[in-house]
Coordinates of all heavy atoms in Angstrom, one line a residue:
G56 N 60.6 31.2 53.9 CA 62.0 31.1 53.5 C 62.3 31.3 52.0 O 63.4 31.2 51.5
N57 N 61.2 31.6 51.2 CA 61.4 31.8 49.8 C 60.7 33.1 49.4 O 59.5 33.2 49.2 CB 60.8 30.6 49.1 CG 61.2 30.5 47.6 OD1 61.6 31.5 47.1 ND2 61.0 29.4 47.0
V58 N 61.6 34.2 49.1 CA 61.0 35.5 48.9 C 60.6 35.6 47.4 O 60.0 36.6 47.0 CB 62.0 36.6 49.2 CG1 62.1 36.7 50.6 CG2 63.3 36.3 48.4
S59 N 60.9 34.6 46.5 CA 60.6 34.8 45.1 C 59.3 34.1 44.7 O 59.0 34.0 43.5 CB 61.8 34.1 44.2 OG 61.9 32.8 44.6
I60 N 58.5 33.7 45.6 CA 57.1 33.1 45.4 C 56.1 33.9 46.1 O 56.3 34.5 47.1 CB 57.1 31.6 45.7 CG1 57.1 31.4 47.3 CG2 58.1 30.8 45.1 CD1 56.8 30.0 47.7
N61 N 54.9 33.8 45.6 CA 53.7 34.3 46.3 C 52.7 33.1 46.4 O 52.6 32.2 45.5 CB 53.0 35.5 45.5 CG 53.8 36.7 45.4 OD1 54.6 37.0 46.3 ND2 53.8 37.4 44.3
V62 N 51.8 33.2 47.4 CA 50.7 32.3 47.5 C 49.5 33.2 47.8 O 49.3 33.9 48.8 CB 50.9 31.3 48.7 CG1 49.6 30.5 48.9 CG2 52.1 30.4 48.5
L63 N 48.5 33.0 46.9 CA 47.3 33.9 46.9 C 46.0 33.0 47.0 O 46.0 31.8 46.6 CB 47.2 34.7 45.6 CG 48.3 35.5 45.2 CD1 48.2 36.2 43.8 CD2 48.5 36.6 46.1
P64 N 45.0 33.5 47.6 CA 43.8 32.7 47.7 C 43.1 32.5 46.3 O 43.1 33.4 45.5 CB 42.8 33.5 48.7 CG 43.3 34.8 48.6 CD 44.8 34.8 48.3
S65 N 42.4 31.4 46.1 CA 41.7 31.2 44.9 C 40.2 31.5 45.1 O 39.9 31.8 46.2 CB 42.0 29.8 44.3 OG 41.3 28.8 45.1
D66 N 39.4 31.2 44.0 CA 38.0 31.3 44.2 C 37.3 30.1 45.0 O 36.2 30.2 45.2 CB 37.3 31.6 42.9 CG 37.6 30.4 41.9 OD1 38.3 29.5 42.2 OD2 37.3 30.5 40.6
R67 N 38.2 29.2 45.4 CA 37.7 28.0 46.1 C 38.4 27.9 47.5 O 39.6 28.3 47.6 CB 37.9 26.7 45.3 CG 37.0 26.6 44.2 CD 37.4 25.3 43.4 NE 37.5 24.1 44.3 CZ 37.9 22.9 43.9 NH1 38.2 22.8 42.6 NH2 38.0 21.9 44.6
P68 N 37.7 27.6 48.6 CA 38.4 27.6 49.9 C 39.4 26.5 50.0 O 40.2 26.4 51.0 CB 37.2 27.3 50.8 CG 36.1 26.7 50.0 CD 36.3 27.2 48.7
D69 N 39.4 25.5 49.2 CA 40.3 24.3 49.3 C 41.6 24.4 48.4 O 42.2 23.3 48.1 CB 39.6 23.0 49.2 CG 38.9 22.9 47.9 OD1 38.9 23.7 47.0 OD2 38.2 21.8 47.7
S70 N 41.8 25.5 47.7 CA 42.9 25.6 46.8 C 43.5 27.0 46.8 O 42.8 28.0 47.2 CB 42.5 25.3 45.4 OG 41.5 26.2 44.8
W71 N 44.8 27.0 46.5 CA 45.5 28.3 46.4 C 46.3 28.5 45.2 O 46.7 27.6 44.5 CB 46.4 28.4 47.7 CG 45.7 28.4 49.0 CD1 45.3 29.4 49.7 CD2 45.2 27.2 49.6 NE1 44.6 29.0 50.8 CE2 44.5 27.7 50.8 CE3 45.2 25.8 49.4 CZ2 43.8 26.8 51.6 CZ3 44.5 25.1 50.3 CH2 43.9 25.5 51.4
I72 N 46.6 29.8 44.9 CA 47.4 30.0 43.6 C 48.9 30.3 44.0 O 49.2 31.2 44.8 CB 46.8 31.3 42.9 CG1 45.4 31.0 42.5 CG2 47.6 31.7 41.7 CD1 44.6 32.3 42.0
F73 N 49.7 29.4 43.4 CA 51.0 29.5 43.7 C 51.7 30.4 42.5 O 51.3 30.1 41.3 CB 51.8 28.1 43.6 CG 53.3 28.1 43.4 CD1 54.1 28.1 44.5 CD2 53.8 28.1 42.2 CE1 55.5 28.2 44.3 CE2 55.2 28.1 42.0 CZ 56.0 28.1 43.0
Q74 N 52.5 31.4 42.9 CA 53.2 32.1 41.8 C 54.7 32.1 42.0 O 55.2 32.3 43.1 CB 52.8 33.6 41.8 CG 51.3 33.8 41.5 CD 51.0 35.3 41.4 OE1 51.6 36.2 42.1 NE2 49.9 35.7 40.7
G75 N 55.4 31.7 40.9 CA 56.9 31.6 41.0 C 57.6 32.0 39.8 O 56.9 32.6 38.9
R76 N 58.8 31.5 39.6 CA 59.6 31.9 38.5 C 59.5 31.0 37.2 O 59.8 31.3 36.2 CB 61.1 32.0 38.9 CG 61.4 33.2 39.8 CD 61.6 34.5 39.0 NE 62.0 35.5 39.9 CZ 63.2 35.8 40.2 NH1 64.2 35.1 39.6 NH2 63.5 36.9 40.9
G77 N 59.1 29.7 37.5 CA 59.1 28.8 36.4 C 58.7 27.4 36.8 O 58.4 27.1 38.0
E78 N 58.6 26.6 35.8 CA 58.1 25.2 36.1 C 58.9 24.4 37.0 O 58.4 23.6 37.7 CB 57.9 24.4 34.7 CG 56.7 24.8 33.8 CD 56.6 24.1 32.5 OE1 57.3 24.5 31.6 OE2 55.9 23.1 32.4
L79 N 60.2 24.6 36.9 CA 61.1 23.8 37.8 C 60.9 24.2 39.2 O 60.9 23.2 40.1 CB 62.6 24.0 37.3 CG 63.6 23.3 38.1 CD1 63.4 21.7 38.1 CD2 65.0 23.5 37.7
Q80 N 60.7 25.5 39.5 CA 60.5 25.9 40.9 C 59.2 25.3 41.4 O 59.1 24.8 42.6 CB 60.5 27.4 40.9 CG 60.5 28.0 42.4 CD 60.4 29.5 42.4 OE1 59.8 30.1 41.6 NE2 61.0 30.1 43.4
L81 N 58.1 25.3 40.5 CA 56.9 24.6 41.0 C 57.1 23.2 41.1 O 56.6 22.6 42.2 CB 55.9 24.9 39.9 CG 54.5 24.1 40.0 CD1 53.8 24.6 41.3 CD2 53.7 24.4 38.7
A82 N 57.9 22.5 40.3 CA 58.0 21.1 40.4 C 58.8 20.7 41.6 O 58.5 19.7 42.3 CB 58.8 20.5 39.1

């Protein structure tokens, strides 16, 4: 439902990289 973010795999199997527009969106 949110086209302005990406979720990518990290170098660990139990964590992921969130990409967005700013700190408030992450918060």
Side-chain angles (χ1 to χ4, degrees):
N57 194 339
V58 291
S59 62
I60 68 168
N61 291 331
V62 176
L63 307 172
S65 72
D66 52 3
R67 291 175 48 184
D69 58 2
S70 65
W71 293 267
I72 298 169
F73 164 91
Q74 292 184 336
R76 290 282 185 87
E78 282 178 279
L79 181 60
Q80 190 182 34
L81 170 64

